[in-house]
Amino acid sequence: MSVNNRRDFIRSGGLALGGLHLSKLLAAEEQKTERSCIVIFQNGGSSQLDSFDPKPEAPSDIRGSFGAISSSVPGVPVSGLLPRTAKIMHRIAVIRSMRSDEAIHERARQYIFSGTKPRNDLIQPSFGAVMAKERGGRNGLPPFVVIPESDLSAEAGFLGPSFDPFVAGNPNQKTFTVRDLTLPSGVTHEEAFARKRLLAKLDAGFREAENSPLLDTMDEFYGKAYDLISSPAARKAFDIQNEPDQLRDAYGRTGIGQGCLLARRLIESGVRLATVYHGGYDTHTDHEKSTKPLLTDFDQAFPTLLDDLAQRGLLSQTLVVVIGDFGRTPKVNFSGGRDHWPSAFSVVLAGANIPGGAIIGRTDKQAGEPVDRPVTIEDLAATVYRSLGIDFNKDYHANGRPVRIVKDGIPLKELVS
Amino acid sequence: MSALLHLFLLALVCDSLIAATLVGLRIVPPDVVLAGAGRSQKFLVLARDADGNEKDVTATAQVRSSAPDVVAVDSRLSVFTARSHGQVNIQATVSGIQTSATIRVADSPSELAVQFSPDVISVLTIKGCNSSGCHGSPAGQNGFRLSLFGYDVAADRDMILKAHGRRRVDIVKPENSLLLRKPLFEIAHGGGRLLTKDSDEYKTLLSWLQQGGKLDSDGARVSTIELYPSEQVLTGKGTRIRVVVLGRLSDGTTRDMTGEVRYSSTDEVTAAVKLDGEIIAGESGIATVFARGMGRSAAIQVSVVHQPAGEDFPKLQDNNFIDELTYKMQRKLNVRPAPLCSDREFVRRVFLDSIGTLPTPEEVDLFVKDVDPAKRSKLIDSLLRRPEYADFWTVKFEDWFRNNQLNSQGRSMGIFKEWIQEWLSEDRPYDQVVRKLITSKGDTFRNPAANFWHPAADFMLKKFDLKKVTPTVSRLFLGVRLECAECHNHPLENFTQDDFYGMSAFFGRMRVKHGTAEYRRTWYLDEDADVEHPVTKKPVAPKFLNGSEPQFEREEDRRIAFADWLTSPENPYFARATVNRIWNEYFQTGIVEPFDDFRSTNPPTNRALLDRLASHFADSGFRLKSLHRTILNSRTYQLSSRREKGGNGPLERMLFAGYQPRQLTAEILLDAISQVTGAPHEFGNYPRGTRAMEVHVPDQPDYFLVTFGLPRRDVLCERAKSPTLGQALHMINGATILQKVQAERNILSEFLSKGWTDDRITEAVYQRAYSRPPSDRETRAIDEFIGTEIAAGRSRRRALEGVLWTVLNSMEFKVNH
């Protein structure tokens, strides 16, 4: 019997005795296959030399001034900007030999989030959209959420706009609420649903006559909206004010800190994939001035997130990915900045079944080129999907043709089986 | 009956079938000049039918040479072979119809010279050798370093021929060169096996070495290549056709390049192309097949239809050339256009599409009752004369020119907006407008057009960022996305880094001074400045895209020359890019799609339509209203949006076979809600009744607008047009609709004060929102709803608010269909 049949069986009241045992089995099986994901996206592209791939021996116009410190993995230093992350290196995996050849932000992001080079004729869907399609929403929540704003890289592409992300807004604001999740004051559920029923009648005739995919999408969103409205639990998921101040402080009262906290809350409540965009890494000028606060904030939020997930028993079921558009040039430019560098950069994976302390690949003396185990974006995408239990070898259909979400990507055997 | 007799009868029948539809015949390629004795050229005989479609009839053609000792014809292989110097007449006959062609044989064959650039470079690029992951990376691979995508030709040649003790090539025995053996994988190669000995790329590299590895070789160069047949409509899945490729050389001869080019298809599912150029029809659709070689390319459009249009394909009235040309393609692909939309559908749609405003019930009524057969045309004329036309299209141009808060702020933004409104109202010739923009300078408070440059002022550094100009100008006015070429040549396209910097050079002398307040900027020119090539560090001369380098006097504003070139009748881009952009507004799909992405690898789906629209626009003096008028008056625009289930696929969209419903954009939707409810929206300090279209976007744009896709205009992207969950939530729960529906003074108050019945009020709401009366069924459903609401204890007013709320949330209201 398929999982769905079992579920129905139980729901229909099935065997009262055996039902409980079965539901536990069901939960375990679902648990095994249904991992969630948090992506921390370093908007603009984070410098590998100033984070996970320092080169203290390199000339001064390359190594920068943040120095390197030892980490909890012997022989693997990290940037002086990441002391807290250094202490948990044994719990995470770092790919230092990541490479893409897309140096334009929009293209690079599309490439990274979809695992496929941007195409002219189709837009390939992002991880979140695929999760939304394959797994659907839970507990009335949207399956795919972005914090604080959306971005082209988050698109659902050929899967259709109904799998686009829900935009949560910026949780690091005093009065943060996700707007319009509750009925307006003075409107009861009864009244709202009476209107909803009339709306369905009026829309039905129009939809039948037009037969337009646009209307199907609009209808789906209205359905999801009503699901959200009807689920107090769902709405609570966005209510970051319910978190104790102590925890909010631990993450850091920053965009990324509160973003990670909100992401944890959402994952805990049933969201499949949450992307937290951390802005400002595109430092073409005055690189060190801008990078220091960014990575410092990251260094506070990231280990806290992993601890928090672990304490709640969520870590093994949540894949955490840290990635940016690309790396940054080893040689600092004449404006004190680092420019785009897709030839080599660092990516971090943690949680799920990712082995801690796995350091994959090496770069040359300048962190400019992979010299060992270069990893393609396609391989990374395959690894992510494998970890999440998504079959990336199946054919989807778009424009009347079969198409894959990742082509020729091989999951990294060091990280997933 | 004997097999032979069978065959003969069959041939006769085929012949007569062909004869029945055949109107012309030709031999391709035309103008063949064989380089010398022994040289050959594959040929095809093509028959043209009444619809202008060509069919390959080589198999049934009788082809004769007037002098077989000069040029011999092999009918079985369909090849011309030169025997001696001279000239012949070739005659082809099919079903009694004849055609002829002249073939010359030149004095002696010269070896085709392989030049380092573009021939060898193009091999290194297509094979990925000089990509950033391989030898094109800064450190190269194993010391072998090439310039990224071949931007430094001289350095690459030196690296190959001279570097490291000349170890990579063996000029004496070229086949032994590392340059060849590594990609052949005869020796270990990190990049793997990239070549085989029978590949064109290998042969090119080998020829180059055999010819001495020169940078510039003497000898003939390929000037252009041609691909035949010109265009094909293939009927039935699995149908196969052959192609023939001709190269025209610089010495006046031609070369059979059928086996020397790389073939590819834009859509393998519709038309797959094999290595030898054979095309196989797949699913219905439109694809482009390319042939590329020696730095040149040629393309043909291949359409596949499974069931060709029969006698029952509707014959329709053309309103203008748009209909004639779209119909042609629809018939070719057997995609039936939808019927004409009704008067009610038309009036609502054309109001929204031309002036972004709903028609009032009175306007609808007047139109529907009018018996004038030319009423649609007259309505279009009157709409284009209304002041809302300028308001509505101004917002679009503000999107395109990125008039936003970050760039301009406050007064500057307003000045630019007003200037756009002005020339739209006057219907000033668009070429003049663009010329004004391109050559604008001075104080942005005094010279509104100069606000155009704001997106190129680096916000942080307060200086001019030249790199932002070229992509903007290129996309807006040429329809070309040149931004990739900033860093490297595109391996498959013709645009190079030289093109990018060559275009930048026209604008390279611009500078900006910032004022003290409100983003008041002054744009001026620095006559001594030059644009430096990022790699060679040498000054770059201004160069027109795919064109020449004009000469300048020192003090000249080079932008004037650019504007002249851009708007000249010979410019192939400007008119096409503009009409395509406007077309996309109406049809939600460009004739070139994406609408600002013209490339040889992204051809128009209906080239004849695009060309004709472009020349029409140019002939009208580049007047936008003339373009709007032509499009809106076409039957194609006026087709219904209603389709059968499954009848609205990508092919219908590409062929413009029906109107595409689309959600109203943010400003329009908000204004429509205000209009229907009679409760105007409050926009800060603006006077009551100001519409969203008219507002200069403030610091904190209205949440409704942002949720419904108001763009930030900080990047060159279009508005997001897809519905979102956030929109649904805001419509259901948000304050915007609720406040208007509950407002003390809105249409409900008015109707109630007049003592109208529920049904009368419902009808009035329907007319305002949908431009139609409710059906009996709808009236009953609404009556029932009101009854239930009142029974639940809510007031009549509240129940009617519920009706109004529901109508505003309905799809039919939010969608333009």
Side-chain angles (χ1 to χ4, degrees):
Chain A
M1 248 202 285
S2 75
V3 172
N4 284 336
N5 284 352
R6 280 204 283 255
R7 221 186 268 137
D8 288 340
F9 183 63
I10 291 164
R11 212 180 281 139
S12 70
L15 295 166
L17 244 88
L20 193 59
H21 180 58
L22 228 59
S23 77
K24 267 213 171 112
L25 267 180
L26 200 63
E29 199 178 292
E30 281 200 29
Q31 259 214 320
K32 193 172 75 172
T33 52
E34 295 199 354
R35 282 207 176 101
S36 310
C37 185
I38 296 177
V39 178
I40 297 174
F41 191 72
Q42 297 169 315
N43 238 353
S46 172
S47 161
Q48 67 281 15
L49 277 150
D50 299 300
S51 59
F52 290 95
D53 201 7
K55 302 283 177 184
E57 311 281 303
S60 60
D61 61 347
I62 288 173
R63 69 174 182 258
S65 56
F66 297 123
I69 55 177
S70 57
S71 74
S72 58
V73 175
V76 178
V78 295
S79 159
L81 288 177
L82 304 175
R84 296 193 207 199
T85 307
K87 294 205 182 84
I88 56 150
M89 281 293 271
H90 63 286
R91 290 166 58 193
I92 67 178
V94 180
I95 303 169
R96 293 182 300 188
S97 51
M98 195 71 231
R99 75 157 195 236
S100 95
D101 52 19
E102 289 295 345
I104 297 178
H105 291 293
E106 293 81 36
R107 287 182 64 91
R109 285 180 214 178
Q110 271 193 22
Y111 189 18
I112 285 164
F113 275 90
S114 67
T116 314
K117 279 219 163 215
R119 298 168 65 145
N120 299 325
D121 52 343
L122 274 185
I123 300 174
Q124 300 269 145
S126 71
F127 297 126
V130 172
M131 287 285 267
K133 175 156 170 71
E134 293 302 327
R135 299 272 162 88
R138 271 188 292 204
N139 307 329
L141 278 166
F144 176 24
V145 179
V146 296
I147 302 160
E149 289 175 335
S150 196
D151 178 73
L152 275 182
S153 54
E155 270 191 73
F158 69 71
L159 290 181
S162 57
F163 301 110
D164 278 335
F166 180 68
V167 179
N170 181 4
N172 192 33
Q173 292 168 95
K174 252 199 208 124
T175 53
F176 172 72
T177 41
V178 178
R179 282 178 73 147
D180 306 325
L181 282 185
T182 46
L183 293 175
S185 66
V187 178
T188 60
H189 263 258
E190 189 215 346
E191 188 180 9
F193 278 78
R195 291 180 179 184
K196 180 180 183 248
R197 277 191 300 275
L198 178 61
L199 181 60
K201 286 187 189 156
L202 299 190
D203 276 344
F206 184 63
R207 277 184 77 191
E208 217 178 280
E210 293 286 323
N211 274 313
S212 156
L214 168 71
L215 303 183
D216 295 336
T217 306
M218 290 168 83
D219 185 60
E220 270 194 65
F221 278 128
Y222 264 66
K224 290 178 183 169
Y226 278 106
D227 284 346
L228 253 181
I229 293 167
S230 320
S231 167
R235 296 196 307 277
K236 242 181 106 191
F238 288 98
D239 219 343
I240 204 174
Q241 339 280 10
N242 275 340
E243 293 291 336
D245 275 330
Q246 209 180 19
L247 186 60
R248 294 192 75 177
D249 291 338
Y251 271 90
R253 298 281 182 161
T254 59
I256 186 172
Q258 300 303 299
C260 284
L261 174 53
L262 181 59
R264 186 230 80 210
R265 246 187 112 74
L266 293 175
I267 296 297
E268 195 176 13
S269 307
V271 166
R272 304 290 187 179
L273 188 141
T275 306
V276 183
Y277 286 93
H278 187 205
Y281 285 84
D282 193 27
T283 51
H284 289 282
T285 53
D286 260 333
H287 159 78
E288 296 206 340
K289 189 159 155 229
S290 314
T291 304
K292 185 161 181 215
L294 284 175
L295 284 173
T296 306
D297 290 348
F298 169 81
D299 188 52
Q300 182 173 0
F302 178 60
T304 311
L305 173 67
L306 295 185
D307 276 339
D308 200 6
L309 286 168
Q311 273 172 35
R312 285 163 204 272
L314 295 171
L315 191 57
S316 65
Q317 289 312 110
T318 309
L319 175 68
V320 181
V321 182
V322 182
I323 189 168
D325 313 43
F326 25 63
R328 302 207 80 81
T329 47
K331 202 159 186 316
V332 177
N333 68 28
F334 56 80
S335 310
R338 295 195 196 265
D339 303 312
H340 304 177
W341 192 256
S343 307
F345 56 109
S346 300
V347 173
V348 175
L349 290 110
N353 54 347
I354 302 292
I359 309 293
I360 308 222
R362 270 183 314 121
T363 53
D364 62 22
K365 292 202 188 82
Q366 306 177 338
E369 293 295 323
V371 294
D372 178 44
R373 193 69 167 97
V375 175
T376 62
I377 299 290
E378 285 85 353
D379 292 340
L380 176 68
T383 307
V384 168
Y385 281 127
R386 178 61 57 84
S387 174
L388 295 174
I390 300 271
D391 176 11
F392 56 89
N393 282 318
K394 90 171 191 197
D395 280 334
Y396 290 79
H397 283 87
N399 286 356
R401 65 178 75 180
V403 65
R404 299 236 167 132
I405 52 179
V406 180
K407 219 172 137 196
D408 303 328
I410 302 172
L412 299 174
K413 55 179 167 21
E414 298 94 321
L415 298 182
V416 292
S417 52
Chain B
M1 249 196 282
S2 78
L4 208 61
L5 195 58
H6 241 127
L7 215 62
F8 180 67
L9 285 173
L10 198 65
L12 266 183
V13 169
C14 282
D15 246 16
S16 61
L17 272 177
I18 291 170
T21 52
L22 181 57
V23 302
L25 203 64
R26 67 171 177 148
I27 302 166
V28 293
D31 305 318
V32 173
V33 181
L34 297 167
R39 291 303 169 88
S40 64
Q41 174 67 52
K42 291 195 192 61
F43 67 86
L44 300 173
V45 180
L46 302 175
R48 198 174 71 253
D49 67 15
D51 289 330
N53 298 326
E54 285 192 310
K55 258 194 151 57
D56 183 348
V57 293
T58 318
T60 55
Q62 284 163 323
V63 186
R64 279 192 228 295
S65 163
S66 61
D69 55 332
V70 178
V71 174
V73 178
D74 183 334
S75 292
R76 195 176 57 88
L77 297 173
S78 60
V79 173
F80 300 129
T81 308
R83 296 260 181 264
S84 62
H85 169 53
Q87 183 170 305
V88 302
N89 192 285
I90 303 286
Q91 216 171 60
T93 312
V94 175
S95 313
I97 305 198
Q98 239 177 37
T99 187
S100 65
T102 307
I103 300 186
R104 287 196 297 121
V105 182
D107 233 327
S108 59
S110 59
E111 262 315 305
L112 186 62
V114 175
Q115 271 191 358
F116 187 71
S117 171
D119 309 318
V120 173
I121 296 281
S122 95
V123 169
L124 298 173
T125 311
I126 287 176
K127 284 296 173 187
C129 314
N130 58 15
S131 69
S132 71
C134 297
H135 298 287
S137 73
Q141 298 291 339
N142 280 337
F144 183 50
R145 204 177 79 195
L146 295 172
S147 66
L148 184 63
F149 297 130
Y151 64 74
D152 193 346
V153 168
D156 287 349
R157 185 173 158 272
D158 283 350
M159 173 63 62
I160 291 172
L161 289 181
K162 296 187 188 155
H164 301 111
R166 301 170 189 268
R167 59 189 287 264
R168 293 188 182 93
V169 297
D170 186 340
I171 291 293
V172 174
K173 266 202 138 192
E175 309 82 52
N176 284 353
S177 305
L178 270 184
L179 183 73
L180 297 175
R181 297 191 66 204
K182 281 229 166 189
L184 282 174
F185 216 49
E186 287 179 3
I187 299 179
H189 180 224
R193 185 197 308 278
L194 294 171
L195 297 177
T196 54
K197 283 207 171 139
D198 57 1
S199 67
D200 313 312
E201 291 86 7
Y202 174 78
K203 290 176 194 162
T204 300
L205 294 179
L206 181 62
S207 296
W208 178 65
L209 291 171
Q210 284 169 338
Q211 290 170 22
K214 300 199 190 92
L215 187 63
D216 289 304
S217 304
D218 306 315
R221 302 280 315 135
V222 175
S223 310
T224 55
I225 66 172
E226 295 164 13
L227 179 61
Y228 296 95
S230 310
E231 196 199 293
Q232 284 293 285
V233 179
L234 303 181
T235 310
K237 197 167 178 172
T239 308
R240 288 158 188 263
I241 57 161
R242 297 176 299 146
V243 302
V244 159
V245 177
L246 179 92
R248 293 203 186 275
L249 308 190
S250 55
D251 65 355
T253 63
T254 63
R255 184 183 174 91
D256 187 342
M257 292 181 65
T258 310
E260 296 177 347
V261 292
R262 239 170 118 87
Y263 297 98
S264 58
S265 168
T266 56
D267 185 350
E268 290 274 328
V269 170
T270 297
V273 62
K274 289 167 58 191
L275 286 174
D276 63 0
E278 190 186 38
I279 300 174
I280 307 167
E283 303 301 331
S284 313
I286 303 171
T288 304
V289 170
F290 296 96
R292 274 191 206 95
M294 298 301 232
R296 307 277 175 242
S297 69
I300 56 171
Q301 189 175 77
V302 177
S303 311
V304 175
V305 56
H306 289 175
Q307 188 72 18
E311 285 307 305
D312 60 339
F313 194 85
K315 288 172 190 51
L316 300 165
Q317 177 91 349
D318 291 339
N319 288 356
N320 58 34
F321 66 84
I322 291 176
D323 304 323
E324 181 196 315
L325 295 170
T326 51
Y327 178 81
K328 217 169 177 161
M329 267 209 100
Q330 288 158 0
R331 192 162 193 287
K332 224 189 261 205
L333 286 164
N334 198 13
V335 171
R336 282 161 192 245
L340 270 181
C341 67
S342 68
D343 273 349
R344 284 188 188 279
E345 286 167 336
F346 178 74
V347 64
R348 189 176 190 266
R349 180 197 295 180
V350 77
F351 261 75
L352 288 169
D353 272 342
S354 63
I355 67 170
T357 309
L358 283 174
T360 63
E362 295 72 40
E363 286 167 329
V364 173
D365 205 42
L366 227 93
F367 179 74
V368 166
K369 293 205 170 98
D370 191 352
V371 295
D372 184 347
K375 66 179 177 181
R376 289 194 180 191
S377 186
K378 290 188 175 151
L379 177 60
I380 291 166
D381 283 342
S382 74
L383 288 170
L384 293 175
R385 282 196 297 265
R386 282 171 67 147
E388 296 97 321
Y389 160 77
D391 294 335
F392 177 56
W393 285 87
T394 294
V395 174
K396 293 187 201 254
F397 277 94
E398 286 186 278
D399 280 354
W400 297 334
F401 297 159
R402 290 192 280 160
N403 191 26
N404 79 350
Q405 201 61 357
L406 180 67
N407 294 333
S408 305
Q409 279 212 358
R411 197 162 146 193
S412 213
M413 215 179 141
I415 286 173
F416 197 36
K417 185 179 175 94
E418 280 163 20
W419 178 75
I420 296 173
Q421 274 168 330
E422 204 179 277
W423 56 257
L424 274 172
S425 289
E426 290 172 19
D427 199 30
R428 219 176 280 172
Y430 190 57
D431 60 330
Q432 288 177 22
V433 169
V434 171
R435 178 185 289 276
K436 193 104 199 239
L437 284 170
I438 298 254
T439 57
S440 64
K441 57 182 191 238
D443 180 337
T444 53
F445 275 22
R446 296 236 185 87
N447 300 301
N451 286 280
F452 176 70
W453 304 110
H454 284 335
D458 185 305
F459 174 67
M460 298 299 279
L461 299 178
K462 298 216 176 332
K463 66 177 207 269
F464 174 55
D465 187 356
L466 175 63
K467 288 198 293 235
K468 297 218 175 107
V469 171
T470 304
T472 303
V473 167
S474 181
R475 269 223 216 189
L476 282 177
F477 307 127
L478 303 175
V480 167
R481 294 185 181 181
L482 210 52
E483 45 272 21
C484 302
E486 178 188 344
C487 301
H488 55 72
N489 299 351
H490 194 294
L492 302 175
E493 265 312 316
N494 296 327
F495 302 134
T496 66
Q497 217 176 16
D498 288 344
D499 287 315
F500 186 91
Y501 287 97
M503 196 183 293
S504 302
F506 286 101
F507 303 97
R509 290 189 172 160
M510 290 179 63
R511 296 289 180 268
V512 66
K513 247 190 331 233
H514 276 72
T516 46
E518 286 203 66
Y519 288 68
R520 184 176 187 160
R521 297 181 175 118
T522 301
W523 294 89
Y524 62 96
L525 299 174
D526 177 354
E527 287 165 12
D528 292 318
D530 264 318
V531 172
E532 212 180 66
H533 195 285
V535 175
T536 66
K537 301 290 183 213
K538 297 206 202 80
V540 180
K543 184 180 100 64
F544 299 124
L545 190 65
N546 280 337
S548 57
E549 288 182 19
Q551 296 306 313
F552 289 106
E553 296 299 323
R554 180 153 199 78
E555 319 75 44
E556 258 181 84
D557 183 351
R558 295 164 163 183
R559 305 173 306 164
I560 296 173
F562 184 85
D564 286 342
W565 167 80
L566 180 65
T567 55
S568 93
E570 283 79 50
N571 186 301
Y573 304 99
F574 181 61
R576 285 182 179 81
T578 309
V579 303
N580 197 47
R581 184 178 282 265
I582 303 295
W583 181 274
N584 181 59
E585 289 299 305
Y586 289 116
F587 291 92
Q588 305 286 286
T589 302
I591 303 168
V592 169
E593 176 70 14
F595 69 90
D596 60 358
D597 196 4
F598 280 61
R599 283 179 277 118
S600 66
T601 38
N602 188 29
T605 48
N606 191 332
R607 192 181 290 279
L609 175 63
L610 181 67
D611 288 351
R612 189 79 183 269
L613 269 169
S615 57
H616 167 86
F617 181 52
D619 290 343
S620 75
F622 297 100
R623 287 183 197 271
L624 290 167
K625 283 195 186 179
S626 167
L627 183 60
H628 293 311
R629 196 171 284 122
T630 305
I631 294 175
L632 293 169
N633 272 296
S634 69
R635 176 176 43 78
T636 306
Y637 169 76
Q638 297 179 18
L639 299 177
S640 170
S641 61
R642 304 183 159 212
R643 309 296 286 183
E644 293 300 314
K645 203 158 175 67
N648 194 3
L651 202 52
E652 278 80 9
R653 236 185 130 92
M654 271 198 282
L655 297 176
F656 312 114
Y659 188 79
Q660 296 294 329
R662 75 285 309 257
Q663 190 170 273
L664 303 184
T665 53
E667 293 93 333
I668 309 312
L669 183 57
L670 184 55
D671 286 343
I673 293 171
S674 302
Q675 184 178 343
V676 168
T677 54
H681 201 74
E682 300 291 325
F683 291 106
N685 296 328
Y686 283 89
R688 191 174 157 80
T690 305
R691 293 176 312 143
M693 286 198 263
E694 295 165 323
V695 167
H696 304 168
V697 179
D699 261 321
Q700 302 290 338
D702 192 285
Y703 180 75
F704 182 94
L705 295 178
V706 170
T707 306
F708 277 86
L710 185 76
R712 283 205 312 260
R713 296 178 182 154
D714 52 1
V715 288
L716 272 171
C717 292
E718 309 162 55
R719 278 187 185 226
K721 293 219 176 95
S722 309
T724 66
L725 181 54
Q727 288 171 10
L729 285 169
H730 191 63
M731 288 295 281
I732 295 170
N733 289 334
T736 308
I737 296 208
L738 207 62
Q739 275 168 10
K740 292 183 196 304
V741 150
Q742 288 176 343
E744 254 179 52
R745 290 190 300 154
N746 65 12
I747 45 145
L748 288 181
S749 340
E750 189 189 311
F751 297 158
L752 285 171
S753 73
K754 286 188 182 159
W756 286 10
T757 60
D758 289 348
D759 282 355
R760 188 150 178 212
I761 292 176
T762 300
E763 154 117 34
V765 168
Y766 260 63
Q767 293 285 8
R768 289 171 86 94
Y770 306 135
S771 302
R772 66 171 178 88
S775 67
D776 289 335
R777 201 156 140 210
E778 287 167 330
T779 308
R780 274 198 305 276
I782 290 174
D783 281 340
E784 207 181 290
F785 169 79
I786 295 174
T788 322
E789 286 296 281
I790 291 174
R794 290 183 270 279
S795 67
R796 182 175 173 232
R797 160 86 197 207
R798 185 75 172 204
L800 288 167
E801 286 176 4
V803 174
L804 185 54
W805 183 97
T806 306
V807 165
L808 294 172
N809 269 279
S810 69
M811 291 176 190
E812 191 177 343
F813 171 68
K814 290 183 297 196
V815 164
N816 181 5
H817 54 94

